[in-house]
Amino acid sequence: MSDESVPASAPAQFNTTNARVEPDASESTILSVLTHPDLYGRFWGKDELVLPKFENSVRFWNTIWYGGPLPCVNKAISRFRRRPVRLILRRGEHSAFYDILSRQDPDHTCHITSLLDVPEDKNAHCGMQGLLKVLNTRALDNVKYLYLNVGISNQDFQEFTRALSSGALGKLTALLLMGNGIDDTDVEELARVLSNGYLRSLTELNLGYNKLGEAGARHLAYALSVGALKELEILNLESNHICHPFTEELARVPSYNISTRLQELHLSRNRIADTSMRRLADVLSKEAFNGLRHLDLYKNEIGPTGMRELARVFLSGGLNQLTHLNLGSNEIGDEGLRDLGDALITAGWQSMQVLCLSSNNLGDEGLTAMANAMPSGAMANLRVLRLYDNKIGDQGARALASALSRGALSHLEVLNISENNIGDAGVIDLAQEKSNETRNTVSSQSPMLSRSRNTSNARVTLACIVGNRRVW
């Protein structure tokens, strides 16, 4: 904004060159800037307007970062007409902000489509009651994305579900409640809301990092069974206490009541063991799960028997569109890996792009069996293969190199095989097969490999053979 474009009546403490309110500006000056009729529409399209009374910047393109109480922020909110707004609450007294929202004219809040309440200090947070007050005024009826990470008491959660049952947030498509201490009692209340169809438009439900146990899992499975979540695309239940009752209940769900849109199922860091896997395999074999693309079973209690059950799904033609499979930190062992190899021969896994088998007590025998099962063209679209933290030696590495030479894994970009027992011979065998396709040189003596358990001193050319980053 040039000085010439600013009306003569613009506040003197508004720096027209960089759209910044000067640090010594009074609150009345800030208010006059935010509400100036001529300035509105001239600088509100800028990426950022810095207000000294805020601890965070205020991004006026599509996001408000609220960092502390500022009475005139209600005037700012009212200036976002016809422009979707994403509210992110990080610092300060959130209840004061919610109090401002509750007094807004609905015409001023109807454009708020996303609300993220993720305070840096949960102990100091007391905004849940303020949010409940706003919900009862229907000021957030057009919110489609709600992310709360505040720590919710049973009483507050009960009031929250009561507000949902009264029609608040009826347009919600994403409900993210990670890390709130939600327990079985809370899930029972939420399941009742879901079962009664108050959130039929929901495409993403995230209850990760909570305290769901057997009872809560059953309630949630029941909510899925009545067909009220037919639009669901992402279900995230990671880091809870989910085990056999959930998979048992889910297996009873009629296929016609399961969302055929489901693309991601996150069940990592739970207590799914071999018995649970048998019922989960029955669930995943249903036609409704054919569109699933991302299955995360990281850090459960899956052994060889459970792996055999999952292989059964692939052998029957199920999960044929899966692109990401995370089985890391289980105990499938060589026996389970052999079953996976048998499924490979039949299924081919042409859609698979990322496969994680790290920390599974895998050795040469299992990897050799799997590699030998890879025909030409097997897993042709696989880009990332993670085998770190196992017991693989030169023999397994050599078998994998042989599979590469036959044309398997033709699009592999990242191979993480760190923290194994591979020596020079195994590294060189793998490098020779990929040297014409990659140009990144790494060494087992480089700082990047300092925690690797591999013993090779060879310098190789490979996309990634013994890197030590653990990223899913």
Side-chain angles (χ1 to χ4, degrees), residues 293-296 322-326 352-354 383 472:
R293 297 183 181 278
H294 193 135
L295 178 60
D296 190 353
L322 203 64
T323 60
H324 291 67
L325 177 60
N326 189 350
M352 192 67 68
Q353 297 179 18
V354 178
R383 298 180 295 102
W472 169 249

Side-chain angles (χ1 to χ4, degrees), residues 33-338:
V33 169
L34 295 178
T35 59
H36 197 287
D38 293 318
L39 289 177
Y40 172 63
R42 293 177 179 264
F43 70 80
W44 285 83
K46 281 187 172 289
D47 289 340
E48 182 174 303
L49 173 67
V50 179
L51 301 179
K53 296 300 177 73
F54 278 59
E55 295 179 39
N56 295 47
S57 298
V58 181
R59 300 189 181 281
F60 285 100
W61 181 244
N62 65 351
T63 302
I64 293 180
W65 288 84
Y66 178 67
L70 181 66
C72 64
V73 75
N74 60 336
K75 297 292 184 180
I77 293 172
S78 69
R79 291 303 182 185
F80 279 93
R81 297 171 188 258
R82 299 180 302 277
R83 184 179 296 164
V85 171
R86 189 180 190 214
L87 296 182
I88 302 179
L89 310 186
R90 292 288 291 176
R91 301 176 185 170
E93 180 51 71
H94 296 184
S95 59
F97 188 86
Y98 284 129
D99 187 57
I100 291 171
L101 279 182
S102 68
R103 297 196 303 269
Q104 287 295 308
D105 185 318
D107 288 342
H108 295 167
T109 60
C110 65
H111 48 281
I112 298 175
T113 58
S114 299
L115 172 61
L116 294 83
D117 193 341
V118 284
E120 294 177 349
D121 184 1
K122 290 185 184 180
N123 294 326
H125 179 72
C126 55
M128 192 62 194
Q129 285 295 322
L131 173 60
L132 294 171
K133 181 179 179 181
V134 175
L135 292 180
N136 290 329
T137 67
R138 313 300 288 272
L140 298 174
D141 274 7
N142 284 324
V143 167
K144 295 183 177 181
Y145 184 101
L146 179 64
Y147 175 16
L148 300 178
N149 182 219
V150 297
I152 307 175
S153 68
N154 291 118
Q155 182 178 350
D156 283 347
F157 198 86
Q158 189 174 20
E159 291 185 36
F160 176 66
T161 54
R162 190 179 297 125
L164 295 178
S165 297
S166 68
L169 300 174
K171 297 180 181 179
L172 207 62
T173 59
L175 178 59
L176 288 74
L177 299 173
M178 302 91 79
N180 284 292
I182 295 171
D183 59 19
D184 290 349
T185 302
D186 299 326
V187 175
E188 183 177 5
E189 297 291 337
L190 180 61
R192 188 175 295 114
V193 172
L194 298 174
S195 301
N196 290 328
Y198 290 109
L199 297 176
R200 287 187 177 275
S201 299
L202 213 59
T203 61
E204 180 176 0
L205 176 61
N206 192 326
L207 297 174
Y209 295 89
N210 282 296
K211 300 176 181 178
L212 276 71
E214 294 185 9
R218 284 196 183 95
H219 292 308
L220 186 59
Y222 173 76
L224 295 170
S225 73
V226 298
L229 293 172
K230 287 292 193 72
E231 303 299 314
L232 199 63
E233 298 177 2
I234 302 173
L235 178 60
N236 192 326
L237 302 175
E238 64 181 316
S239 292
N240 280 285
H241 307 293
I242 291 173
C243 52
H244 188 62
F246 176 73
T247 56
E248 185 74 31
E249 193 71 33
L250 205 58
R252 298 193 183 102
V253 178
S255 292
Y256 55 80
N257 276 348
I258 301 175
S259 170
T260 57
R261 297 175 180 268
L262 196 65
Q263 296 185 20
E264 297 184 19
L265 180 59
H266 300 265
L267 296 172
S268 65
R269 296 182 176 89
N270 279 290
R271 291 161 44 200
I272 298 173
D274 288 348
T275 304
S276 307
M277 278 302 298
R278 183 171 66 251
R279 303 305 285 159
L280 183 59
D282 292 339
V283 173
L284 297 174
S285 296
K286 296 177 186 289
E287 186 177 351
F289 284 88
N290 279 350
L292 197 68
R293 297 183 181 278
H294 193 135
L295 178 60
D296 190 353
L297 294 169
Y298 172 80
K299 208 167 188 179
N300 278 280
E301 301 168 10
I302 303 169
T305 304
M307 188 64 242
R308 188 176 302 117
E309 295 294 340
L310 185 59
R312 171 168 61 87
V313 179
F314 295 120
L315 287 169
S316 65
L319 299 178
N320 54 25
Q321 294 187 46
L322 203 64
T323 60
H324 291 67
L325 177 60
N326 189 350
L327 291 167
S329 292
N330 283 285
E331 287 292 333
I332 67 175
D334 287 342
E335 183 181 347
L337 198 55
R338 281 197 300 271

